[in-house]
Amino acid sequence: MLSLCCRRSITSKARKLSSISKMSFYDITDKTMDGQEVKMSDYKGSVLLFVNVASKWGLTKLNYTQLPTLSDEYGPKGLKILAFPCNQFGAQEPGSAQEIKDFVKKFDANMEDKLTFFEKGDVNGDTARDVYKYLTTTLPNEDGTVDIAWNFGMLYWLNSVRLSRTCILSICWFICWENMN
């Protein structure tokens, strides 16, 4: 039997998730790494790739090499890559905004022009940013859970249609190709 405290916590969390999922995706706002408030409605008509990024993960180099290439190839067709630095997974994104900006330039000098970087924040749990709460609850994992599993988890969105959820960048190439051609 759940204690009263646990029931309140679960009820409160369910109410908050319920209010997030009743929102329109395009009503959500977030802040870029430079502090600029961005409405998701600014991206209407685009294929969106949401990626929680980290600079200290073993596959960071691979992902930060492939993401700009993906942007170069599919950006002209409407792909927007939205990068969300997150330190929730093994404390692998410990840097400040400036440190993150300097780090990504090692892989592509124009990285900030190819990916939109948002403020560092959480993607799971009560402290997750609203856009991730919305996306993860409306696009759960295959087993019904909602949490992002690890760094560089990817969610795809196209014109109000949730497309896919994966952590494998090669699948992204296929999904983008299928939906942009």
Side-chain angles (χ1 to χ4, degrees):
M1 182 171 190
L2 289 174
S3 71
L4 181 58
C5 176
C6 289
R7 279 187 293 219
R8 278 191 199 134
S9 174
I10 291 169
T11 303
S12 172
K13 185 183 280 187
R15 232 181 281 130
K16 191 168 188 177
L17 289 175
S18 175
S19 67
I20 293 282
S21 62
K22 287 180 184 176
M23 297 174 75
S24 164
F25 171 76
Y26 295 114
D27 292 335
I28 299 171
T29 61
D30 210 316
K31 286 191 178 179
T32 66
M33 203 175 270
D34 295 324
Q36 178 185 356
E37 193 163 289
V38 175
K39 297 176 186 173
M40 292 302 126
S41 61
D42 294 346
Y43 297 110
K44 245 182 189 168
S46 298
V47 174
L48 303 179
L49 171 58
F50 292 83
V51 186
N52 61 300
V53 297
S55 58
K56 304 286 184 196
W57 186 43
L59 296 176
T60 295
K61 181 179 179 181
L62 174 67
N63 282 276
Y64 272 142
T65 302
Q66 292 180 345
L67 286 168
T69 304
L70 191 63
S71 176
D72 290 342
E73 187 166 341
Y74 294 105
K77 296 178 181 181
L79 175 68
K80 304 289 184 206
I81 302 174
L82 310 180
F84 293 84
C86 178
N87 200 37
Q88 279 187 301
F89 306 103
Q92 294 178 348
E93 186 55 270
S96 67
Q98 190 58 54
E99 289 169 329
I100 294 167
K101 287 179 183 185
D102 293 342
F103 178 77
V104 300
K105 287 179 185 171
K106 295 177 187 177
F107 302 98
D108 189 310
N110 299 314
M111 184 79 80
E112 288 182 77
D113 296 329
K114 297 177 182 188
L115 282 65
T116 301
F117 282 85
F118 287 80
E119 288 182 338
K120 185 165 73 172
D122 292 343
V123 297
N124 287 333
D126 291 338
T127 57
R129 52 196 340 125
D130 285 346
V131 70
Y132 267 86
K133 286 179 184 176
Y134 183 90
L135 291 170
T136 57
T137 57
T138 58
L139 184 63
N141 293 307
E142 287 181 17
D143 65 0
T145 60
V146 296
D147 281 351
I148 299 293
W150 199 251
N151 297 312
F152 291 92
M154 299 178 197
L155 297 124
Y156 310 95
W157 184 271
L158 169 65
N159 297 328
S160 301
V161 178
R162 293 170 305 281
L163 293 175
S164 181
R165 186 182 218 201
T166 185
C167 61
I168 302 169
L169 194 54
S170 60
I171 292 173
C172 175
W173 292 81
F174 175 74
I175 290 170
C176 290
W177 181 83
E178 283 291 309
N179 289 288
M180 296 179 142
N181 285 311

